[in-house]
Amino acid sequence: MSKLRWPHLAGLVTATAALVLGIAVVPANGAGGVSATFTKGSDWGTGYEGKYTITNGSPTARTSWTVEFDMPSGHRVSSLWEGSYTTSGQHVTVKNTWNGSIAPGASVSFGFNVAYSGAFTAPANCKLDGGSCSATGQPPTDPPPTDPPPTDPPPGPGGNKTLGYFTQWGVYGRNYHVKNIVTSGSASKLTHINYAFGNVVNGQCVLGDIYADYDRAYSAAESVDGVADTWDAGALRGSFNQLRKLKKAYPHIKVLFSFGGWTWSGGFGQAAQNAAAFANSCYNLIEDPRWADVFDGIDIDWEYPNACGLSCDTSGFAAFKNLSQALRNRFGAGYLVTAAITADGSNGGKIDAADYGGASQYLDWYNVMTYDYFGAFNAQGPTAPHSPLTSYPGIPQAGFNSDAAIQKLKSKGVPAGKLLLGVGFYGRGWTGVTQSEPGGTATGAAPGTYEAGIEDYKVLKTRCPATGTIAGTAYAKCGNEWWSYDTPATISGKMSWTRSQGLGGAFFWELSGDTANGELITALRGGLN
């Protein structure tokens, strides 16, 4: 259940359909018009993503807007971004937040997820600023006044944390940069980002890749805000600066700096020997004046306390709790302090090896790594889904499933609201397989773009489409290869389970594994609401 530091990790979405409804308002001067166009995006059978685009076709700048529409029976808006909304029965009213200004010829938009039963039906009776949403409608002379926009979008209810990992090495071979979070539509759906990874050396937090972190110069075309980096003395560059720009554009997103991971967990044992000194080093690094405004907290990815990962740790049952307490003491209540933890739910397994129950009082939440249970690290198989939600007959090892891990953590006193379910945006696969169903033998790891046995969802969805499901996740047999991975449909099911368990939300590893239009994060976010 590990996240490797080197580049390796990465549903089926129904075809998106553009569905344009009537739209627009003509200003009193009659020159041009202001329109609001509805577009239907991804649909996963029990919900879909919608968007209204407000376009100013008049010669006069707009300073605010209000869009109203009616949802059909059995349909409800479950979440909305880039706008502030209220509902009265099936009637939905959306007002601008930070995006009220629309220059002549420009457009702004807001997106939303809809949960529905039965057949899809588009919203109806659209109004823009009280007038018709078609370009021939006549609005009031001036748009109605709106409340001052809040600094951030209104926070959603508990239980819908949506956290994605951004890997610092993704800027190399994967060519995935912070701007891709925006262009994929993921930025509006994320609540938190974990920047992975910082290293732990000599008992201290240290940077892992200075060039990627804060030195790489981004051109205007590569940059989130279209402004190129400079080489002026003291200027911040790299992913840190891009994250700063992302947060300015999407102020609801919180960014945590994650330390450790599979490759860099070996230093935690020494760090635990002087937990206060370790915590102080982490605080000083995150609060470095050059990027102090970028990070909202720290995440510890220790694989694994008092157990074996890439190396074996013998720091003792209490070490993780002591480290967590020291971090909270140093960072205080104003910062997020979280941890990515094992999902080994077996009796006497890794969850039992450390005091996760006691440590939880000091942490905001756990990212429970409910993936990588099975894979071609066992080259001959048996084939098995790497991220099973539940157990199933023939599972290779008892306790190696999400439900077992979550129930064990609850039994140790960890509040459900402090548990986030993990989802992999990648698959694991074998080659030399003849059996379609799980449980077959293999001859080795299937080929992967960056590492054998691992492939991004965005590749697998067409290279080896899913042929079946088991234990809440999907698998695929193509030629002599066998893969398991999550699809939009299985993610939707996992999020329903997450809600039923009262969990705090979900997280995923990692952003670059998704499609260019964010199929998986759309299903994940939609399923949490």
Side-chain angles (χ1 to χ4, degrees):
M1 289 72 65
S2 59
K3 298 189 294 295
L4 307 187
R5 188 197 172 275
W6 50 84
H8 79 290
L9 298 179
L12 291 169
V13 170
T14 56
T16 59
L19 194 65
V20 177
L21 299 183
I23 305 137
V25 180
V26 179
N29 61 19
V34 183
S35 63
T37 307
F38 170 74
T39 305
K40 177 173 179 276
S42 300
D43 190 316
W44 48 93
T46 58
Y48 71 88
E49 181 183 9
K51 180 172 75 172
Y52 273 96
T53 301
I54 302 110
T55 301
N56 185 3
S58 78
T60 305
R62 308 282 291 189
T63 59
S64 64
W65 50 262
T66 300
V67 174
E68 301 174 67
F69 52 89
D70 294 323
M71 298 301 298
S73 177
H75 291 52
R76 65 176 179 85
V77 173
S78 57
S79 64
L80 187 143
W81 49 93
E82 269 126 43
S84 175
Y85 79 106
T86 58
T87 59
S88 177
Q90 296 301 105
H91 189 72
V92 181
T93 301
V94 185
K95 296 185 178 183
N96 61 273
T97 51
W98 54 271
N99 53 351
S101 298
I102 318 176
S107 298
V108 298
S109 63
F110 64 89
F112 53 98
N113 287 324
V114 174
Y116 72 87
S117 58
F120 161 78
T121 306
N125 305 321
C126 179
K127 291 184 179 180
L128 175 57
D129 292 337
S132 168
C133 275
S134 71
T136 58
Q138 295 297 324
T141 302
D142 295 308
T146 60
D147 296 331
T151 302
D152 291 348
N160 63 356
K161 293 182 182 70
T162 305
L163 184 151
Y165 275 85
F166 179 89
T167 62
Q168 67 194 165
W169 60 89
V171 304
Y172 299 117
R174 288 178 171 271
N175 196 29
Y176 190 92
H177 306 275
V178 176
K179 183 177 180 179
N180 293 101
I181 303 174
V182 178
T183 58
S184 65
S186 300
S188 59
K189 302 176 181 69
L190 288 163
T191 61
H192 299 82
I193 293 172
N194 273 11
Y195 183 83
F197 286 111
N199 203 349
V200 182
V201 179
N202 295 326
Q204 296 187 327
C205 283
V206 299
L207 294 177
D209 184 338
I210 290 174
Y211 177 73
D213 292 344
Y214 70 84
D215 195 41
R216 182 194 190 278
Y218 278 82
S219 67
E222 297 172 318
S223 184
V224 167
D225 63 356
V227 178
D229 287 340
T230 75
W231 291 96
D232 295 344
L236 186 66
R237 295 179 293 274
S239 293
F240 286 2
N241 190 42
Q242 293 302 304
L243 287 168
R244 173 185 284 167
K245 293 180 176 186
L246 179 74
K247 289 179 64 176
K248 183 177 180 180
Y250 297 86
H252 67 282
I253 295 178
K254 305 299 181 185
V255 180
L256 297 89
F257 202 153
S258 186
F259 289 84
W262 179 257
T263 306
W264 285 348
S265 283
F268 281 116
Q270 181 180 353
Q273 294 175 16
N274 191 340
F278 169 72
N280 191 57
S281 75
C282 300
Y283 181 87
N284 291 338
L285 178 60
I286 288 175
E287 283 298 291
D288 186 297
R290 291 171 290 179
W291 52 74
D293 59 330
V294 173
F295 298 105
D296 302 284
I298 184 172
D299 176 77
I300 296 300
D301 188 348
W302 182 353
E303 303 183 23
Y304 302 95
N306 205 36
C308 296
L310 185 62
S311 60
C312 291
D313 176 73
T314 57
S315 55
F317 181 76
F320 179 72
K321 175 184 175 181
N322 294 339
L323 197 73
S324 300
Q325 183 178 12
L327 287 167
R328 176 57 71 195
N329 289 344
R330 184 63 184 91
F331 280 84
Y335 288 81
L336 294 170
V337 182
T338 68
I341 64 170
T342 175
D344 177 0
S346 62
N347 291 329
K350 292 183 176 66
I351 290 178
D352 290 330
D355 190 3
Y356 291 106
S360 66
Q361 65 187 298
Y362 304 112
L363 302 172
D364 289 282
W365 65 77
Y366 284 136
N367 299 312
V368 189
M369 295 184 285
T370 45
Y371 41 73
D372 292 348
Y373 283 110
F374 308 107
F377 38 80
N378 293 319
Q380 280 70 53
T383 58
H386 82 84
S387 186
L389 180 62
T390 59
S391 187
Y392 63 91
I395 192 169
Q397 184 164 341
F400 272 34
N401 62 84
S402 303
D403 180 64
I406 295 299
Q407 303 314 323
K408 181 177 280 285
L409 288 164
K410 286 182 178 180
S411 74
K412 293 182 179 297
V414 183
K418 286 192 173 186
L419 297 172
L420 272 58
L421 187 76
V423 177
F425 279 13
Y426 63 94
R428 286 189 172 271
W430 289 262
T431 191
V433 181
T434 59
Q435 179 175 311
S436 297
E437 294 74 26
T441 58
T443 59
T449 303
Y450 303 103
E451 181 181 344
I454 295 172
E455 188 57 91
D456 291 349
Y457 165 76
K458 66 177 181 281
V459 175
L460 289 172
K461 64 169 289 190
T462 52
R463 173 183 156 188
C464 194
T467 54
T469 58
I470 190 169
T473 189
Y475 63 87
K477 174 71 164 56
C478 51
N480 67 349
E481 294 182 16
W482 194 97
W483 291 88
S484 72
Y485 55 91
D486 273 308
T487 68
T490 63
I491 287 175
S492 180
K494 285 187 172 184
M495 295 307 99
S496 295
W497 183 88
T498 296
R499 294 198 316 270
S500 74
Q501 293 293 314
L503 305 189
F507 77 97
F508 59 89
W509 180 272
E510 41 85 12
L511 280 155
S512 72
D514 205 353
T515 60
N517 63 344
E519 291 179 8
L520 296 186
I521 192 174
T522 297
L524 190 148
R525 181 67 185 178
L528 288 174
N529 295 281

